[in-house]
Amino acid sequence: SSTGWRERMQNRRGQRPETASSYFVPQDDKQRAPGAAVCSRRLLLLVLAAATALLLQSSSTIATTLSSSSSSSSSAKSVMAATTTPPAERTVDDRLAHVETLLEELRPEPRLWTPALAPQAEVAKAKAEHASLGLLSLGGRAGDAFLVGVRASTGTVDAVSPASHPSFSYTMPLKDASVKLHWADSGRVPLPLDRTAQGFHHLGDLTLRVRKAGSAGGYSTHSTVSRKPPLATAAAEATLARDGLSSSVDASRCLTPPLPFGRGLALRREVRVAGAEATLSLTITNSDPTSGVEIGGLGLSVPFNQMFTGRSLPQVAQRCSFTEVYLGGEAGYVQVTRTTGEGPVLLVLPLRRDRREDVGAENRSASGWRGFEGWRPLKQEDRANYDWMHEMLYEVVVVHSEAYARAEWRGAAPWAPPSSATLPPGGSATYGLRMILARDVESVGEALLAAGVPVATPLPAATLHADMTDARLHLSTPKGLEVVGSPRSDPPGCLEAAPLSGGTAAAHALRLRPVAVGRCRLTLRYRWGPAADRRGELLQFVHYNLLEPAAALLQRHGDFASTVGWLPGNGSDPWHRGPGYMGTDADADGGRGGALLYDPRVFMAGHSDESGASAPLAMSVKQLGLPSDAEVGKLEEYVHETLWAGASGRRSSFLQGADHSVRLSMLYWNDAMDKDPSGPARRALPALYDHCHKCWASCKKGRDCCYWMHCWSEEHSLETWRAYNYPHVTVGYWSLYRVARHISPPPTKRAGWRWYLEQAGRTAVAMHTFGGRGTSQWGLMVGSIFVAVLADLRREGLTALADELEAIKERRMRKWMSMLFPYGSEFPWDSTGHEEIHSWLLHDGKVADANKTVQAVLAYSTVVPHWAYCGSARRYWDFTINGKTQWGNEREFHHYGATLNAVAVLDSFRAFPERHYLLRLGACALLGHLSNIHPSGAYSMAWHGDPGLLRRDGFSGDYGPGVYGYWRSAAAYVACMPPFGWSCFLCDLAVEGEAGGGAASASAAKACDAGANLRVTPRDAFGRRAYLAPLGLTVTVEGGRLVEVELQPRGRRAVLRVAVHERARSSEASVFLEVERRDGRAPAPTSAYSCAYDEAAYPCSGRKAGAFVVPLRVGEPTRVILQASASGSAPAS
């Protein structure tokens, strides 16, 4: 790590660190490494030597300086012996790499982190609780990271607690009287949670699929979990070692049913706590002396506590965790993070593999164990409650998956190559898990390296666009692990990888170039030390998704939505939904797609809620960075003929009334429609008529007798209480205000910019007027738009309306500040409120509370080298509400929750740009979002995460908030990221240093020279914004497109090249400047910047709504020069 723990924590509070000397040694006094002072002195000597060597243009000075300064150190002597005078013709970069090699030699061995032990009274209380549940307590002593509870009757693990928090367990509780709920076969009355009976999965339970070796038949399934009573228990209770740190049990009797061939399998479970680690191992022995057993499927249950059913939101925060997986082969892991986002973080790794334990034939690629291959949901295999507040229990990580790939998963392309293994007659194999702790989510990489696991860092993320030229993959390896050869891509050639020169023994870098479009898996090979090392090679999988250029993708959707998804206002629709943009079904018309008009779910095709409002919301947002005159015209049609009733409009024919209230849906059912089988409703949508008529005709209540989402009565559809429906409409008005205000001449024809802005402000006020104390108390999806509306109301002098909106914000803020964990929604837990709440907190300067919001996001949105999981936030019930393929609760990849949560994450990064983890996480979310666009241009609501699907859903569903979240955070992010150097996210970067070199080598890239000249090419879909971290400055362009930014950090100068939009040509552009950095580095304020264009010959012509105004011309971008005055504060390095 390039930053110590104390420094990171101070950065989070917006303070400058006390010291920058924490590169090698943790600054926590309790964790200070032995010999740290000696190591620091050695490092100081080496750094001084390196500086002298570069100054004198002679690497031989290093040895001379060392020999005169550090003769007392034997390790320093060995370094000197290895650094005889190198050739004089070495370049500066060569000498810098040479010095880095010397520093690498003194790199201290990383150690696994162990938290401080809780007071003995707390530990004793936890152990007493274990005993009352029939659990054996392991660990919980000084120097132990864990307190583990092992069930004596089975040997499974039912409590995993960090030693610092013994009352908290990452696993599902065995019993919990405070939680009452239903589970399979529990009866009609909710009961206290009790998982002691049969049918529940516990940590260490095993599921196998096997067949006789050499057989071509199917696999039989066997598990240590049986749904039939009695509970499968071991022949004898688990034995506890004398030291209290390990247990062992013969669990052969737990494995049922018996194998249909041979003499069966023997199974032994062992659990051990050893200092900073806990291990769970299962040894499987083939008891037959003549027949081999092929293992086609092997998975270990990992039932961590992410079940929120029956709990309040504060209880969820106190007791529950989120589980995330990285399917990285032998470098894979499961991350378990408390719902608050606080540490410690549990990491579950594959048990260290010993080559002597390899099973089967000599060809390891066909039969050896390669770590985590899959992530299998235990659907209906566990008796747990599966309502929408419980995502799922999972089986770890299928270690062998060939049997699943041939059966349930055969219709999907698996994440990893499926494998199987063969147990020879009388042979044994050991599988298992290692558990370690990381201090917090931002320390996961450090913990993995300390555990001997390589860390792959894709920059900017594992989703890349085809026009990106600066993509890199950085590999960090623990001592003794070497990268072997070049990565292998699958499909072959999908991604080209070329090494960057200048790497060290612990860091390697690859330059990547996308070649194909689609999923692409890189397989990396490592070797442990000498060839004789028994651990042999290690395989790691890095999963990429390669997309077309972002602007081309989004414009294709615009063309699709404006044709296939457009419902004209020709009067043929009895619900008056046209003219308007509608949701779509990508599978219709042979894959060419079609408008979604017929679905009985009132949200899907009724212009309201997240799904119904998604299409107009997405097309409104698109105009803010990729405008089209034709699309703006259609939006105005929708606003004036379908959305806004005005004073004279009939309320039942419009979405929004004259009082600015927004109805629940424009799709409904009534008696007149139901009783007229040849009427307009039946003629327009016969499938909808048939569906609604089935339940409506026999309805004793007279209305609303269908499923709760289907065939609402007209009275119900006219209700206006749901605050969630107002932000989408607000965005529509506000986007038309922005294009009318900042594109000249305005593409809007039916109203002026002031009318659209006032409509946005009044709709925002109506949200609280009609949402009242109910739904408006929560953070709303897309609710951050209210912050932008308030800012523009103030800029444009609409003070009274701004004051009214500000007062509403204050009332809502008081509610949020009174809550322990204010990130809920209409459900017990949700991941949708953080975006708006964090936006208002930062707006009001409540930095500490804003950081709590971000930490809550970090609990369920993780950084892993896998495009689908990285930044995907947490959504799992939306397919059942808005999807086409409905398999129950299912992990969703890059649903709108990903980019909405990235709003809080990236807003926080721009405020505290030393928190590079946030930038990586946000980039994953933004880049992954556009993977939802089908080749036809149709949008999908998300990717299916079930291993039997792994594809986009056919319906567009509630995709609109995701497009908003993408627009809200999309920018070219330029930052110095030790140890990766100058880095560009959602952009390409060329570094021109003072000494001439570029970013051609890994060592050169590490040096963030403030005197360098940085050329930035935006690669996001909009090209409207750049965040320049060295200046703490955000530059936003309206009316034109940023095609390049030239940044000179030391000179406090930025040069923009602004071009005309192709489909909405403007004669001028507005350039907004904002200083968002809040970490105490005091960058130059916006008032310190001057603006000029055309080689500084002409000053920017005044201000418009707070922005500089610059002219544009067709054919040649305008050069805009932003220069901070000499009196402005110096830029951060």
Side-chain angles (χ1 to χ4, degrees), residues 172 179-181 304-313 315-323 337-340 385 387-392 821 827-831 859-860 874 876-877:
M172 286 274 286
V179 177
K180 293 186 178 181
L181 70 168
F304 295 113
N305 190 11
Q306 56 184 21
M307 186 180 75
F308 307 151
T309 307
R311 300 183 189 273
S312 66
L313 194 58
Q315 288 175 327
V316 169
Q318 293 166 359
R319 308 295 298 176
C320 297
S321 301
F322 290 100
T323 307
T337 310
R338 299 169 67 185
T339 50
T340 58
N385 182 294
D387 74 359
W388 55 7
M389 282 295 101
H390 183 199
E391 175 183 344
M392 191 65 62
F821 198 67
F827 307 129
W829 175 88
D830 210 339
S831 61
Y860 54 78
R874 209 41 155 250
Y876 49 85
W877 65 73

Side-chain angles (χ1 to χ4, degrees), residues 563-916:
T563 53
V564 176
W566 178 253
L567 179 64
N570 55 18
S572 62
D573 184 73
W575 296 274
H576 309 284
R577 293 174 296 174
Y581 287 104
M582 305 296 296
T584 57
D585 178 1
D587 302 328
D589 194 17
R592 288 183 288 271
L596 193 59
L597 306 175
Y598 54 84
D599 196 284
R601 288 171 285 187
V602 292
F603 303 136
M604 295 291 291
H607 279 318
S608 199
D609 201 84
E610 289 74 63
S611 55
S614 270
L617 171 62
M619 292 303 292
S620 297
V621 167
K622 179 183 174 295
Q623 309 316 309
L624 295 170
L626 204 60
S628 161
D629 289 342
E631 292 167 5
V632 170
K634 285 181 179 293
L635 278 172
E636 285 202 290
E637 280 189 67
Y638 162 72
V639 166
H640 293 277
E641 298 175 34
T642 302
L643 171 60
W644 174 242
S648 59
R650 192 162 58 93
R651 186 66 176 89
S652 61
S653 300
F654 292 86
L655 182 62
Q656 185 178 30
D659 57 359
H660 294 88
S661 63
V662 179
R663 64 191 287 186
L664 296 184
S665 178
M666 291 187 72
L667 185 65
Y668 57 87
W669 203 246
N670 59 31
D671 288 336
M673 292 176 175
D674 192 71
K675 294 177 180 179
D676 188 357
S678 59
R682 177 64 182 270
R683 291 196 304 271
L685 298 174
L688 179 66
Y689 178 91
D690 292 343
H691 181 91
C692 293
H693 180 69
K694 287 180 181 178
C695 56
W696 195 271
S698 59
C699 180
K700 294 181 180 179
K701 295 189 302 179
R703 67 174 206 169
D704 295 324
C705 288
C706 303
Y707 181 58
W708 71 275
M709 290 190 293
H710 296 184
C711 310
W712 283 358
S713 66
E714 185 172 7
E715 294 85 351
H716 192 178
S717 77
L718 286 167
E719 294 172 11
T720 59
W721 54 267
R722 193 170 188 269
Y724 295 93
N725 295 335
Y726 290 76
H728 315 122
V729 175
T730 302
V731 170
Y733 288 127
W734 185 78
S735 66
L736 289 172
Y737 150 72
R738 294 289 277 199
V739 298
R741 187 69 161 122
H742 297 290
I743 294 178
S744 182
T748 52
K749 307 301 180 186
R750 302 184 66 161
W753 64 262
R754 183 179 293 272
W755 186 85
Y756 286 119
L757 179 57
E758 289 179 341
Q759 284 291 99
R762 290 180 177 131
T763 303
V765 170
M767 173 276 300
H768 189 264
T769 302
F770 295 94
R773 297 181 178 179
T775 51
S776 70
Q777 69 179 306
W778 306 112
L780 306 177
M781 294 82 87
V782 189
S784 60
I785 190 60
F786 300 142
V787 183
V789 170
L790 177 63
D792 277 327
L793 289 172
R794 296 249 180 250
R795 288 192 190 107
E796 303 288 10
L798 299 174
T799 306
L801 190 52
D803 290 344
E804 192 174 356
L805 183 56
E806 187 102 45
I808 290 171
K809 179 265 296 182
E810 290 295 336
R811 289 196 288 274
R812 299 175 73 207
M813 183 70 74
R814 285 194 292 271
K815 174 68 175 181
W816 297 334
M817 293 297 96
S818 70
M819 300 173 70
L820 175 66
F821 198 67
Y823 313 123
S825 73
E826 54 203 319
F827 307 129
W829 175 88
D830 210 339
S831 61
T832 55
H834 306 67
E835 163 236 339
E836 187 193 4
I837 291 176
H838 185 270
S839 296
W840 282 122
L841 289 170
L842 270 189
H843 174 272
D844 286 7
K846 301 179 186 296
V847 174
D849 293 305
N851 187 61
K852 283 175 55 180
T853 315
V854 172
Q855 286 303 126
V857 174
L858 298 189
Y860 54 78
S861 194
T862 55
V863 173
V864 291
H866 193 308
W867 71 269
Y869 288 93
C870 188
S872 262
R874 209 41 155 250
R875 306 298 301 179
Y876 49 85
W877 65 73
D878 299 86
F879 285 135
T880 64
I881 298 176
N882 296 317
K884 182 175 185 178
T885 302
Q886 301 179 37
W887 284 20
N889 283 2
E890 179 192 354
R891 183 61 194 277
E892 301 161 19
F893 298 139
H894 296 293
H895 179 263
Y896 75 70
T899 58
L900 284 191
N901 282 278
V903 170
V905 168
L906 288 171
D907 281 4
S908 184
F909 167 76
R910 294 193 301 276
F912 301 100
E914 299 299 321
R915 294 188 68 181
H916 304 134

Side-chain angles (χ1 to χ4, degrees), residues 288-299:
D288 195 285
T290 59
S291 300
V293 176
E294 180 188 339
I295 302 176
L298 189 151

